[in-house]
């Protein structure tokens, strides 16, 4: 999900598969949304899921994004 600082949803939630092409597409999608919506300060936040969040975390960090991890209980609706 991508939102602006006011919480307006710019792009809905997404599930990313742990494959190189899917991760590249997700990072590129994030970069396109950043340009399209003119987002200057962007933080990628991933829900902690055991050890499975580490691969996407490394992919976004390698692309130059600031990445943070949150507890699943904090993201529960």
């Amino acid at each position: 999900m991508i939102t602006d600082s006011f919480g307006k949803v710019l792009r809905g939630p997404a599930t990313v598969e742990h494959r190189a092409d899917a991760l590249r597409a997700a990072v590129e999608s994030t970069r396109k949304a950043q340009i399209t919506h003119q987002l200057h300060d962007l933080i990628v936040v991933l829900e902690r899921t055991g050890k499975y969040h580490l691969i996407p975390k490394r992919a976004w960090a390698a692309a130059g994004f600031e990445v943070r991890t949150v507890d699943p209980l904090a993201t529960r609706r």
Side-chain angles (χ1 to χ4, degrees):
M1 173 185 302
I2 299 176
T3 66
D4 63 11
S5 58
F6 300 106
K8 178 182 173 189
V9 177
L10 305 175
R11 185 165 169 243
T15 301
V16 179
E17 295 184 30
H18 284 76
R19 294 189 335 259
D21 61 329
L23 289 167
R24 276 193 301 271
V27 169
E28 185 59 32
S29 175
T30 304
R31 199 170 303 285
K32 284 180 183 177
Q34 183 180 24
I35 293 167
T36 302
H37 298 289
Q38 299 176 357
L39 303 172
H40 301 289
D41 295 325
L42 185 71
I43 301 170
V44 175
V45 180
L46 298 168
E47 183 177 84
R48 187 181 71 227
T49 54
K51 62 181 179 179
Y52 300 103
H53 69 283
L54 296 175
I55 294 169
K57 182 178 182 178
R58 284 188 218 121
W60 267 284
F65 290 101
E66 181 179 346
V67 183
R68 297 189 187 162
T69 306
V70 296
D71 188 279
L73 296 176
T75 60
R76 201 171 181 190
R77 291 184 184 202

